Amino acid sequence: MTPTSAAPKVEGEDLAARVQTGTHFMLGDHACAEGALAAGLDFFAGYPITPSTEICERLAHRLPEVGGKFVQMEDELASMAAIIGASVAGARSLTATSGPGFSLMMENVGLAAIMEAPCVIVDVMRASPSTGLPTAVGQADVLQARWGSHGDYGIVAYAPSSPQECFDLAIQALNTADQYRIPTFIMMDEIIGHMTERVVIPPAEDIPFVPRKTPSEPPGEGTFLPFKPDEDLVPPMAHAGQGYRVHFTGLTHDEQGYPRLTAAAHEKLVNRLVDKVRLNAEKIVMYEEYLLDDAETIVISFGCTARSARHAVTLARQEGIKAGLLRLITLWPFPETRIRALLDTGRVKEFVVPEINLGQVRREVERLTQLPVKRVNNPGGAMITPDLIIEVMER
Amino acid sequence: MTQTVLTGEKKTDTHPVDALLRADRLPHILCPGCGIGTAMHCIVHAMAESGIDRDKHVCVSGIGCSGRVAGYIDVDSYHTTHGRAIPFAVGIAVQNPELAVTVVSGDGDLTAIGGNHLIHAARRNIDLNVICINNFNYGMTGGQAGPTTPLNAQSSTTPYGCWDRPFNLPHLAHAVGAPFVARWTVLHVRQLKDAILRAMQKPGFCFIEVISPCPTNYGKFNNIGSGLEEMESYRRRCVVDHDANLADIEIDLGQEDSPIVVGNFIDVDREPFRPILAGPVREEKPHAAWAGLRKTQFVEDKNGPE
């Protein structure tokens, strides 16, 4: 990330209450909530659902302490609408859910995308489809995060692999949402959400803060075009009540925000919604490499499964298998450039993709290579253990 | 907003509410005889008279003919998704309580797909003015039946007559806790404007049903005739009764001898929604069991075992 300002959004006592600097033994869900608070979360709307409920509970406690607003809504349709409403009124806003609620939120994910209303959706994935195994792990919402609402639009999705990363990526997700004016996702899984581990919360001044761009012209002059992008394809944002008298619509619109119901206007708008993420993908994409330098077998994984994958790679090395791990920190954008560079070395012989779904990330890898892409899957309910991954590597 | 005196002497290119409308978006999409423009006229007049800074007014709409209203009023305005105008507006109103947020949408948007949000926002008494323009059908999509379509009415999805019992919206809004409930028709421009003005000045969830003709998609299939003829029927049939028993004011549009009861039915004081906020006056303390969840911090013992 490239913070445009290190200045935190809040100051004084409020900041001290927001950023609980120190070393904690903390639940992943709680760490996610604390990261959002540290990044200046103003508004949470949500509906309780296992295994994300602890985020909702934590923020019910903590947001009022720091002057933020907590609203428990009647359902996830309303939660998603409310965080967009809060966003256009100037808030850093977030909601948290799991699969069934995530499906409901998809409706207004599209609205957030076309209104360019920054907001964050946390999905703590459980075994699905439908109600599935509500208290057991799943990782099957990967493609839904990218393609879940109808139409084309750009989003960013992060996949934390530890409670520490739940904290760190909550900050990152709020910053990225504001920087690109997009909905961003934190794709946790039940094991990470319900894992308690050491979480180090840094001093407040070390929390990166990337502000939303605001109009350079004052209100009342009638010259501000709310959807006219800068060179980075992102328009500055005017909020409700600031005097710009903006109009935001889910219809295809022009730079003024007025409906413009033509194919040409649609092409211009939708391409920009996609391109502001696509063309910045190299800046946004995040991954971690482990023993990749001479690897012939590349394991690609994320979330809780990446922890097994890392151990599997260590054990495989002891057996003489030249394995390495590419751990996805952003699921979207997918690290295509890095994978292509690995392929260009000519050294890679195969990929192994362990994931708690029936092959969603594997599809992305297969799209990039003709090499064997071996799967290690279950549809949810159980951790993929290191021995299962090694067994597939040896096959 | 300055008061404009209409003298009737001078022809002019302007209209008294021009300044409150996005003139560059006109003409609007509404059909001849439709009542939505009249309702919009009452809304902007109420905005002008409200004494609230125009830049603190916000208009939120859902989808449908009435959903287009937000796009014509020159305040911060948001045209959202079908049924979600109220929760979107909840986000705005809770985030910035200084704003006067008015939701304008149709009967299908607010009471069918958005029905759950309507009842919960009313229950919570969120500070919103909700103006439900009821034209008894889904007009934008060509005249399908909805939850306000009268029994036996013809529509493209009730070709043998509507056999669903319709909502009685004021009764519903009252039952779920709205502290202000009114019903007027677009014939009652002054009463409607005054009711909207009252809603804008009153804290909490204020609900106004506005009965409106849809000659294009409802009237012509139900022997109502043109918009003008429907307005004349309102004049014949409407009974102002502010003290009406709300259970008894169902509308039977097809029965010419059945009255349409209008009025400002409910206007009571009820504490509006207020999110708990930090500050010296705050006395609420979480239960100790929940507060315990917070104690996660520890000091590492640097001399302890590895």
Side-chain angles (χ1 to χ4, degrees):
Chain A
M1 181 173 52
T2 49
T4 54
S5 161
K9 188 175 179 183
V10 285
E11 292 170 351
E13 278 182 28
D14 188 27
L15 184 61
R18 276 180 176 274
V19 186
Q20 304 225 311
T21 304
T23 305
H24 299 257
F25 187 56
M26 190 179 273
L27 194 72
D29 278 349
H30 288 169
C32 178
E34 289 297 330
L37 287 162
L41 182 72
D42 298 299
F43 184 98
F44 175 92
Y47 186 83
I49 180 169
T50 306
S52 74
T53 306
E54 294 86 353
I55 298 172
C56 184
E57 290 175 337
R58 182 80 165 196
L59 290 170
H61 243 98
R62 292 275 285 125
L63 266 173
E65 291 182 344
V66 299
K69 277 99 171 179
F70 173 92
V71 194
Q72 186 173 323
M73 299 300 289
E74 53 273 17
D75 57 32
E76 290 89 346
L77 301 163
S79 304
M80 190 62 213
I83 67 165
I84 301 171
S87 173
V88 302
R92 282 202 149 181
S93 63
L94 175 143
T95 187
T97 190
S98 186
F102 198 51
S103 291
L104 293 182
M105 287 178 184
M106 284 304 135
E107 173 195 60
N108 274 337
V109 165
L111 184 69
I114 201 167
M115 281 192 172
E116 301 183 67
C119 55
V120 177
I121 302 106
V122 184
D123 176 21
V124 187
M125 292 181 279
R126 66 192 216 187
S128 48
S130 192
T131 312
L133 301 173
T135 62
V137 69
Q139 293 184 316
D141 306 351
V142 172
L143 292 178
Q144 191 180 15
R146 178 67 189 87
W147 306 109
S149 199
H150 50 286
D152 288 314
Y153 53 91
I155 56 96
V156 173
Y158 299 96
S161 213
S162 65
Q164 180 70 56
E165 258 188 357
C166 292
F167 179 88
D168 297 342
L169 293 176
I171 298 167
Q172 181 85 41
L174 280 161
N175 281 335
T176 304
D178 271 351
Q179 185 172 358
Y180 297 102
R181 287 188 61 181
I182 51 170
T184 61
F185 297 87
I186 305 174
M187 304 300 290
M188 293 163 56
D189 55 58
E190 186 275 335
I191 286 178
I192 299 302
H194 284 166
M195 176 185 288
T196 302
E197 246 182 12
R198 174 191 165 99
V199 173
V200 177
I201 298 183
E205 59 270 25
D206 293 345
I207 305 288
F209 179 67
V210 184
R212 207 176 278 187
K213 286 194 293 184
T214 51
S216 51
E217 51 271 74
E221 299 193 346
T223 54
F224 176 64
L225 295 172
F227 291 90
K228 184 178 184 206
D230 293 338
E231 271 184 20
D232 62 356
L233 302 181
V234 183
M237 188 163 175
H239 299 140
Q242 289 184 323
Y244 290 94
R245 295 177 192 164
V246 294
H247 182 60
F248 281 41
T249 175
L251 288 167
T252 296
H253 46 266
D254 59 19
E255 290 180 343
Q256 194 165 0
Y258 288 0
R260 191 69 63 202
L261 307 184
T262 65
H266 192 66
E267 185 175 10
K268 187 177 174 192
L269 174 63
V270 175
N271 278 334
R272 185 171 64 75
L273 297 180
V274 171
D275 283 348
K276 64 183 177 173
V277 176
R278 190 177 66 87
L279 299 179
N280 288 301
E282 292 312 306
K283 279 190 269 178
I284 297 168
V285 79
M286 292 170 71
Y287 48 82
E288 183 193 29
E289 301 187 4
Y290 176 59
L291 304 180
L292 272 190
D293 285 347
D294 62 342
E296 295 172 358
T297 294
I298 294 182
V299 183
I300 298 182
S301 197
F302 63 98
C304 71
T305 310
R307 298 170 72 109
S308 288
R310 186 182 176 97
H311 191 53
V313 165
T314 304
L315 295 176
R317 285 274 172 175
Q318 288 167 12
E319 292 180 22
I321 301 172
K322 285 192 170 176
L325 172 68
L326 181 67
R327 178 170 73 85
L328 308 178
I329 300 175
T330 51
L331 289 166
W332 310 107
F334 197 72
E336 296 181 17
T337 308
R338 184 64 189 121
I339 292 172
R340 288 208 168 93
L342 288 166
L343 288 166
D344 285 346
T345 64
R347 195 174 51 234
V348 181
K349 294 189 174 136
E350 62 173 12
F351 291 89
V352 177
V353 184
E355 53 186 329
I356 306 176
N357 62 57
L358 297 185
Q360 299 191 10
V361 168
R362 181 170 57 100
R363 284 173 72 97
E364 286 301 305
V365 181
E366 283 174 342
R367 193 166 60 76
L368 300 170
T369 179
Q370 300 295 316
L371 293 173
V373 182
K374 294 176 173 175
R375 43 182 279 180
V376 192
N377 304 119
N378 75 53
M383 185 89 180
I384 293 173
T385 52
D387 53 308
L388 284 172
I389 300 169
I390 291 175
E391 197 181 297
V392 170
M393 272 187 213
E394 287 171 338
R395 204 176 285 160
Chain B
M1 193 63 199
T2 52
Q3 204 74 28
T4 307
V5 180
L6 300 175
T7 62
E9 290 166 5
K10 187 178 167 187
K11 284 188 180 172
T12 169
D13 293 336
T14 61
H15 187 276
V17 295
D18 275 356
L20 278 154
L21 297 175
R22 297 181 190 270
D24 50 349
R25 292 234 37 226
L26 299 174
H28 53 64
I29 62 160
L30 306 167
C31 302
C34 171
I36 295 170
T38 311
M40 187 160 72
H41 175 93
C42 295
I43 294 164
V44 292
H45 269 287
M47 280 180 173
E49 287 182 34
S50 66
I52 298 164
D53 179 355
R54 177 156 151 212
D55 289 332
K56 300 300 170 197
H57 275 289
V58 175
C59 185
V60 183
S61 284
I63 295 295
C65 301
S66 305
R68 290 302 190 94
V69 168
Y72 298 125
I73 300 181
D74 193 17
V75 298
D76 285 322
S77 56
Y78 300 90
H79 178 220
T80 67
T81 38
H82 198 23
R84 316 296 168 228
I86 286 178
F88 191 102
V90 168
I92 296 175
V94 171
Q95 173 57 30
N96 187 350
E98 284 183 7
L99 301 176
V101 184
T102 301
V103 173
V104 186
S105 220
D107 48 309
D109 186 81
L110 287 169
T111 75
I113 189 167
N116 199 32
H117 311 309
L118 173 74
I119 64 176
H120 285 279
R123 173 182 64 80
R124 294 189 180 101
N125 202 15
I126 309 271
D127 189 10
L128 296 176
N129 316 307
V130 175
I131 298 167
C132 177
I133 302 176
N134 179 5
N135 59 12
F136 306 99
N137 79 119
Y138 290 98
M140 181 69 91
T141 46
Q144 296 76 33
T148 55
T149 305
L151 276 172
N152 303 317
Q154 291 284 318
S155 79
S156 70
T157 52
T158 55
Y160 308 107
C162 178
W163 56 74
D164 284 11
R165 202 179 154 78
F167 269 139
N168 170 348
L169 292 179
H171 190 39
L172 172 71
H174 173 53
V176 292
F180 182 83
V181 179
R183 175 200 277 162
W184 295 100
T185 78
V186 291
L187 181 75
H188 299 85
V189 282
R190 286 187 180 77
Q191 295 94 327
L192 175 58
K193 185 263 291 172
D194 287 345
I196 298 170
L197 187 58
R198 173 73 184 136
M200 284 174 178
Q201 291 170 340
K202 183 182 172 76
F205 189 92
C206 298
F207 181 85
I208 302 169
E209 179 185 18
V210 184
I211 307 295
S212 167
C214 177
T216 304
N217 281 322
Y218 186 82
K220 84 174 169 200
F221 300 108
N222 289 286
N223 302 319
I224 292 172
S226 69
L228 184 61
E229 286 168 309
E230 184 161 349
M231 292 286 262
E232 283 183 344
S233 89
Y234 295 163
R235 190 159 56 86
R236 284 193 303 275
R237 295 172 57 182
C238 281
V239 175
V240 179
D241 181 1
H242 300 301
D243 302 318
N245 180 351
L246 295 185
D248 298 337
I249 63 161
E250 287 186 351
I251 296 172
D252 191 350
L253 208 61
Q255 294 296 321
E256 178 61 32
D257 57 350
S258 157
I260 299 171
V261 180
V262 293
N264 297 321
F265 305 123
I266 304 290
D267 192 344
V268 296
D269 291 330
R270 192 166 289 154
E271 183 68 16
F273 177 86
R274 178 185 64 96
I276 295 169
L277 294 174
V281 293
R282 185 175 165 228
E283 287 171 6
E284 301 92 339
K285 291 277 184 244
H287 189 283
W290 300 120
L293 289 172
R294 294 267 316 281
K295 290 172 188 158
T296 57
Q297 194 163 354
F298 66 98
V299 178
E300 287 173 289
D301 182 357
K302 295 211 165 51
N303 301 316
E306 289 191 6

